[in-house]
Amino acid sequence: MKLMQKCIREKIFLWVIILTVILVFHPILKNKFLYYWDDQWVVINHYTQGGFNFSNLWSIFTEFYHGQYAPLNELNYLIIYSIFGYDPFWFHFFSLLWHISNAVLVYYFLKSLLKLSGQTREIYLEVIPFLTALLFSIHPLTVESTAWISASKVLIYSFFYLLALMFYIQYLKNGKSRFFILTFIFFCLSFGGKEQAVTLPFCLLLIDWFSKRNLKNIDLWIEKLPFFATAILFGLITILSQEGGGNAPQYPLFQRFLLSFYTVFEYLIKCIFPFNLSYLYPFPMQVGEAIPVRFMIYPVVVAFLGYVIYVYRKNRILIFSILFFIIHLLVALHIISISRFSIVADRYAYLSLIGVMFFIVYHFVLIIQKKKRVVILILSSLFLVYMLYLGTYTHKYSKKWYDTDSLKYHLRELLKQRKDYSEDTQEYKL
């Protein structure tokens, strides 16, 4: 009877997540291609039109295209085009399907993780993963990856990445080698979606720590060697792929470090309280110019956050959440120059968002179980307002991705509000 109740509760949770995502994101199904924002070459290209033949598939998996290597993403486009042609509805439909699948995987991943670690009571093993997955699924930072067809590589890499993490947890539970092999296979498939998958070995170590494995055990590190060796190989492939992929700004090392502190802070703020989101966040200066003085404060802010983490280092939930957040931003912090013209991009925080939402939900649940009824009512109301804010913002923001004109109009309006835009020159004042 108890098992049946758990199964029913789980099904209810999953259907709530699925239906909520559809309710919030359904405007994207009416959106068009962004013909002047990468869809014209990422989606509409000779690979998509090449058909299912050996020559085309070989090219997809062996060639670098405009500084990118994402064969599974191209294969995704090829399948959709082969069935439906260049109908934007179906491309958006499958992006939405990928996002829903990821939200479901977040639920199962966190449920398995909490059960393995013993970090929470039995009654919350479903509530915390459910609320985390729900906040993740409707968060405005996920709009760019879901509403922009060219960003579907983020959705695909995340799908296989989360599967890899889930199989790794199964491996830790029973030690069966087939789960270890499946972890490695899905790691490779994740890289086929996007290069950010190279962070997975670090995430596996984080799970080891969270589940209280002995990190001083040499066997544990030997176990990770195939993943680190493959990650290095994937990193070299990424570097080679970007050699001919554009002329993004190359800043001096010192400036890149300052920019990295800024990006950590900026992503964290956007995760906790997203506002004024945009498809483009330009660098604050040109190469060779001095970095704005205000950027000097960010190393201090990040250092303070580091101090807080040190003080509360025994709080495993805090440490796990922060490290999960940072690990999945490592390739987007500009310490190593990448071919990107935005200092930050919402899509890079797709997986990092899970860590922040997990921390918020866990401590919300932890607090309300110890408070009086009136306090519980107030906190629950605030949490509901927060959730409604995220869902409403996401719903409205997804409409801004209707086409290139609406997207650029949205950016111009934001810049006017910040007085960064000149009506006379139609140029950005950065």
Side-chain angles (χ1 to χ4, degrees):
M1 185 67 179
K2 192 174 181 180
L3 181 60
M4 183 179 295
Q5 289 177 342
K6 289 180 66 176
C7 291
I8 293 173
R9 187 164 57 247
E10 181 178 281
K11 289 182 179 178
I12 292 174
F13 285 159
L14 292 177
W15 275 110
V16 169
I17 292 171
I18 293 169
L19 294 176
T20 302
V21 174
I22 294 173
L23 176 65
V24 169
F25 273 98
H26 74 83
I28 72 170
L29 297 177
K30 297 180 181 179
N31 291 356
K32 299 180 180 180
F33 288 115
L34 300 181
Y35 287 107
Y36 300 100
W37 192 244
D38 289 0
D39 283 358
Q40 77 280 4
W41 62 268
V42 173
V43 184
I44 303 172
N45 56 44
H46 62 282
Y47 295 123
T48 306
Q49 300 170 0
F52 283 93
N53 56 75
F54 178 80
S55 177
N56 190 44
L57 293 175
W58 178 260
S59 297
I60 288 174
F61 280 91
T62 59
E63 293 180 356
F64 302 142
Y65 180 59
H66 287 254
Q68 298 192 20
Y69 182 73
L72 289 190
N73 190 51
E74 285 295 340
L75 190 60
N76 173 60
Y77 298 148
L78 173 58
I79 292 171
I80 298 171
Y81 172 78
S82 298
I83 301 173
F84 304 106
Y86 285 132
D87 184 344
F89 170 85
W90 291 106
F91 285 87
H92 286 298
F93 174 82
F94 280 97
S95 288
L96 183 58
L97 194 60
W98 283 113
H99 181 55
I100 290 172
S101 300
N102 288 336
V104 171
L105 288 177
V106 168
Y107 169 78
Y108 281 117
F109 162 61
L110 292 177
K111 183 178 177 181
S112 301
L113 183 69
L114 288 173
K115 191 173 182 180
L116 175 70
S117 65
Q119 291 292 314
T120 188
R121 293 162 55 186
E122 180 72 25
I123 190 173
Y124 298 120
L125 284 177
E126 293 179 356
V127 175
I128 292 174
F130 162 65
L131 291 177
T132 303
L134 187 60
L135 289 184
F136 163 81
S137 69
I138 62 172
H139 198 286
L141 276 188
T142 65
V143 171
E144 180 171 282
S145 301
T146 309
W148 184 21
I149 299 174
S150 291
S152 60
K153 58 177 72 72
V154 175
L155 305 174
I156 293 172
Y157 118 80
S158 299
F159 176 80
F160 292 111
Y161 194 102
L162 289 167
L163 281 176
L165 296 183
M166 289 178 61
F167 280 114
Y168 184 68
I169 291 174
Q170 290 300 313
Y171 166 70
L172 295 182
K173 284 181 177 179
N174 53 47
K176 293 183 178 179
S177 59
R178 70 172 180 269
F179 292 119
F180 185 85
I181 295 171
L182 285 169
T183 302
F184 184 79
I185 290 173
F186 283 113
F187 170 40
C188 296
L189 290 174
S190 180
F191 178 76
K194 187 170 175 59
E195 72 280 352
Q196 275 184 277
V198 298
T199 60
L200 186 126
F202 297 102
C203 194
L204 298 184
L205 288 173
L206 179 61
I207 292 175
D208 287 335
W209 171 82
F210 190 70
S211 59
K212 300 179 181 178
R213 294 184 79 190
N214 183 9
L215 294 184
K216 296 180 180 179
N217 188 337
I218 189 65
D219 291 337
L220 181 147
W221 290 90
I222 293 174
E223 175 186 85
K224 300 298 182 299
L225 285 179
F227 292 94
F228 277 106
T230 306
I232 292 172
L233 174 62
F234 288 161
L236 293 174
I237 291 173
T238 301
I239 293 172
L240 290 173
S241 70
Q242 293 191 359
E243 283 185 351
N247 53 350
Q250 303 290 319
Y251 293 95
L253 183 61
F254 172 71
Q255 290 188 345
R256 295 206 301 269
F257 269 104
L258 286 179
L259 293 175
S260 70
F261 289 125
Y262 168 79
T263 55
V264 169
F265 179 79
E266 188 72 5
Y267 280 123
L268 184 59
I269 294 301
K270 290 180 185 298
C271 286
I272 297 173
F273 193 71
F275 62 96
N276 285 349
L277 299 185
S278 172
Y279 75 100
L280 184 64
Y281 306 93
F283 281 86
M285 72 288 186
Q286 300 295 324
V287 175
E289 294 180 350
I291 198 164
V293 176
R294 63 186 174 87
F295 276 72
M296 301 300 178
I297 191 63
Y298 292 108
V300 178
V301 173
V302 173
F304 174 75
L305 291 175
Y307 173 74
V308 172
I309 293 172
Y310 174 76
V311 171
Y312 295 97
R313 61 190 179 278
K314 294 184 179 180
N315 185 330
R316 301 183 79 84
I317 297 295
L318 171 65
I319 301 301
F320 176 85
S321 301
I322 293 296
L323 290 182
F324 193 94
F325 168 77
I326 293 175
I327 283 171
H328 297 101
L329 288 176
L330 286 176
V331 301
L333 294 181
H334 301 289
I335 295 176
I336 299 176
S337 296
I338 56 177
S339 298
R340 300 293 181 268
F341 289 91
S342 291
I343 187 170
V344 297
D346 295 349
R347 62 190 181 277
Y348 291 142
Y350 189 82
L351 281 183
S352 292
L353 181 63
I354 298 171
V356 180
M357 295 299 101
F358 175 60
F359 177 81
I360 291 173
V361 169
Y362 184 91
H363 285 85
F364 164 72
V365 172
L366 190 68
I367 291 171
I368 64 172
Q369 65 175 308
K370 298 179 180 179
K371 300 297 182 179
K372 295 180 179 179
R373 184 173 299 177
V374 64
V375 177
I376 293 174
L377 181 61
I378 293 173
L379 291 176
S380 298
S381 299
L382 290 174
F383 187 84
L384 180 60
V385 170
Y386 181 64
M387 188 165 59
L388 288 174
Y389 169 77
L390 295 181
T392 302
Y393 193 143
T394 295
H395 183 79
K396 291 184 177 180
Y397 187 38
S398 64
K399 296 179 181 179
K400 304 296 183 183
W401 291 78
Y402 175 74
D403 60 15
T404 313
D405 289 337
S406 63
L407 195 61
K408 292 186 176 181
Y409 176 80
H410 174 65
L411 176 61
R412 288 195 294 269
E413 291 301 306
L414 288 178
L415 292 174
K416 287 177 184 178
Q417 293 173 16
R418 297 201 302 262
K419 298 181 181 180
D420 289 334
Y421 187 79
S422 170
E423 289 285 359
D424 298 328
T425 62
Q426 299 288 293
E427 292 177 351
Y428 304 124
K429 292 182 177 179
L430 299 176

